[in-house]
């Protein structure tokens, strides 16, 4: 029996919609689920703005991540609070399409457009500009980052280990998002390494940026 026939097929996925690498990984997860509908994906919000608080960052990155980075994650948390966590996956896709594929600048227009794309009230965009849901946002972020440690970022994915306990990793970081059989092989490989006690990391220097398609 292959690993996907013997292991729980649930993935918990933490993302920040502004991260291009998280977007790549999430499109891989969508491709896996398209081919294996029995897989369950639970979407969770984490925040590069929270992760980078207090860090000395280049001005351009600071503005994009620590200032404007709050907007989309606050809207996601507000949408989940009002309409349930099940809206997170589709709203993430709507936001990511506008941010990464359409190259739209972060703005209220982008947020309202993404909400409208998935049939959610555009008024939820107001959440971007206040701290009403920051406690819930920080809790969601802490849950994800607490599984992998502070020295990584987004995405974080948690799957079942060999004994059924959840095992989490940063990544996989991949570009372009694998499709077809390659996507399934990477999924099965993720489950496989999650089943090895003490496995932590495989890594090499990135020589290519995200390839969007």
């Amino acid at each position: 029996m292959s690993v996907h026939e013997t292991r729980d097929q649930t993935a918990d996925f933490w993302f920040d919609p502004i991260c291009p690498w998280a977007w790549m990984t999430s499109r891989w997860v969508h491709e896996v689920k398209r081919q294996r509908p029995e897989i369950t994906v639970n979407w969770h919000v984490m925040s590069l703005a929270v992760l980078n608080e207090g860090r000395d960052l280049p001005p351009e990155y600071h503005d994009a991540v620590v200032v404007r980075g709050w907007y989309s994650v606050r809207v996601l948390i507000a949408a989940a609070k009002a309409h349930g966590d099940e809206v997170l996956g589709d709203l993430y896709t709507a936001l990511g399409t506008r941010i990464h594929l359409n190259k739209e600048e972060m703005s209220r227009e982008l947020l309202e457009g993404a909400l409208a794309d998935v049939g959610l009230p555009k008024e939820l965009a107001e959440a971007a500009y206040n701290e009403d849901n920051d406690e819930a946002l920080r809790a969601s972020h802490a849950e994800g980052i607490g599984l992998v440690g502070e020295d990584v970022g987004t995405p974080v994915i948690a799957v079942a280990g060999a004994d059924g306990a959840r095992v989490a990793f940063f990544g996989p970081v991949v570009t372009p998002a694998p499709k077809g059989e390659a996507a399934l092989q990477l999924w099965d490989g993720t489950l496989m390494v999650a089943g090895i006690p003490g496995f932590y990391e495989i890594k090499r220097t990135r020589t290519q940026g995200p390839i969007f398609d």
Side-chain angles (χ1 to χ4, degrees):
M1 277 190 185
S2 64
V3 67
H4 80 267
E5 294 174 311
T6 59
R7 197 80 58 78
D8 174 30
Q9 298 291 297
T10 300
D12 287 279
F13 191 101
W14 280 263
F15 66 92
D16 185 322
I18 67 173
C19 177
W21 294 105
W23 176 253
M24 295 277 87
T25 309
S26 71
R27 297 313 94 183
W28 158 66
V29 169
H30 273 284
E31 172 66 6
V32 172
K33 185 167 176 56
R34 182 187 69 80
Q35 297 186 72
R36 292 185 183 162
E38 69 274 15
I39 291 173
T40 299
V41 183
N42 301 315
W43 300 96
H44 309 272
V45 184
M46 64 184 298
S47 170
L48 290 174
V50 172
L51 184 67
N52 286 283
E53 280 183 320
R55 296 182 179 180
D56 186 17
L57 303 170
E60 183 177 342
Y61 188 79
H62 181 275
D63 185 52
V65 171
V66 180
V67 179
R68 288 175 290 162
W70 286 98
Y71 299 157
S72 57
V73 288
R74 282 172 168 169
V75 170
L76 282 156
I77 292 293
K81 181 178 178 180
H83 299 277
D85 289 347
E86 59 269 20
V87 306
L88 288 174
D90 287 343
L91 183 53
Y92 176 27
T93 292
L95 287 164
T97 297
R98 288 174 174 270
I99 293 168
H100 302 297
L101 302 187
N102 300 346
K103 306 299 183 184
E104 297 180 29
E105 290 292 326
M106 181 58 65
S107 64
R108 182 158 189 147
E109 181 182 11
L110 182 155
L111 297 169
E112 289 182 349
L115 288 163
D117 289 342
V118 294
L120 291 172
K122 292 194 293 184
E123 290 75 18
L124 285 168
E126 182 60 32
Y129 307 102
N130 61 65
E131 300 178 2
D132 293 353
N133 296 297
D134 283 7
E135 184 177 351
L137 170 60
R138 290 178 183 277
S140 180
H141 173 87
E143 182 183 8
I145 207 70
L147 296 172
V148 291
E150 295 285 343
D151 58 339
V152 299
T154 175
V156 169
I157 188 169
V159 296
D163 61 357
R166 308 300 284 166
V167 177
F169 300 107
F170 163 62
V173 176
V174 61
T175 187
K179 294 181 174 62
E181 184 61 26
L184 299 180
Q185 289 174 351
L186 181 56
W187 171 257
D188 291 341
T190 301
L191 293 181
M192 186 176 298
V193 298
I196 300 174
F199 176 87
Y200 291 101
E201 185 175 21
I202 293 177
K203 190 172 184 178
R204 61 176 175 166
T205 299
R206 291 195 297 265
T207 58
Q208 192 171 37
I211 299 173
F212 303 107
D213 54 20

